[in-house]
Amino acid sequence: MRSSTAGRSQVFTALLALILVFIPANLASAHTKLISSSPAVASEIDNWPNQIILEFDDDLISLDTEKSNFIVANNALGDQISEPDEVINGNSISVTLSPNEVKGPVLIYYRVISADGHPVEGEYKFTYGVGEVTAEGVTEV
């Protein structure tokens, strides 16, 4: 009787160990990550682009009629310069940019839903105008 209890305990311990080994690995890979962008993260560009393209390591999905995936771009003065016309194609999302004459940092904020249904959000900057630090007419304090 004692050996069957010890055997069950060993089986339970082995199953528990397997569960603990595999669950964290699945949870760690549950959320998609940004793998590339155009313009690139922290880049300096001379010519204003027509659009922003973000590529992720997992496919993106749309939830019903709700706008669940979006990109917002703001120029160095804080003006929104992205249109509300996001397009999802597999693991990428793109948005049209409005014309922009303001040189300096451009902030890109995104929110997407990965194929597993988890929302992921983040932001990055690139600079319009090589060597530009602030927007024209804006002084640093």
Side-chain angles (χ1 to χ4, degrees):
M1 181 123 175
R2 186 170 244 216
S3 64
S4 70
T5 304
R8 281 188 227 148
S9 179
Q10 288 174 344
V11 169
F12 177 75
T13 302
L15 286 173
L16 183 60
L18 282 172
I19 290 169
L20 293 175
V21 166
F22 288 108
I23 286 180
N26 290 338
L27 290 177
S29 65
H31 303 298
T32 190
K33 292 182 177 88
L34 181 66
I35 57 173
S36 73
S37 62
S38 176
V41 173
S43 64
E44 290 185 342
I45 61 170
D46 278 328
N47 298 316
W48 186 247
N50 295 338
Q51 65 180 347
I52 298 289
I53 303 170
L54 305 180
E55 183 180 355
F56 294 86
D57 65 354
D58 197 6
D59 282 347
L60 305 177
I61 61 170
S62 294
L63 301 176
D64 299 323
T65 58
E66 166 186 337
K67 185 171 182 173
S68 50
N69 299 282
F70 58 86
I71 300 172
V72 176
N74 291 56
N75 67 16
L77 294 176
D79 299 328
Q80 184 172 332
I81 48 174
S82 53
E83 299 295 329
D85 65 351
E86 290 86 359
V87 175
I88 295 173
N89 186 9
N91 68 331
S92 68
I93 182 172
S94 62
V95 67
T96 303
L97 292 178
S98 304
N100 175 48
E101 298 296 322
V102 179
K103 303 262 179 147
V106 178
L107 177 65
I108 306 300
Y109 172 78
Y110 60 87
R111 182 182 187 276
V112 296
I113 306 293
S114 60
D116 63 7
H118 287 103
V120 175
E121 49 188 80
E123 62 183 36
Y124 77 93
K125 290 182 184 178
F126 69 88
T127 302
Y128 174 45
V130 176
E132 294 290 329
V133 178
T134 60
E136 296 171 7
V138 175
T139 57
E140 292 194 34
V141 181

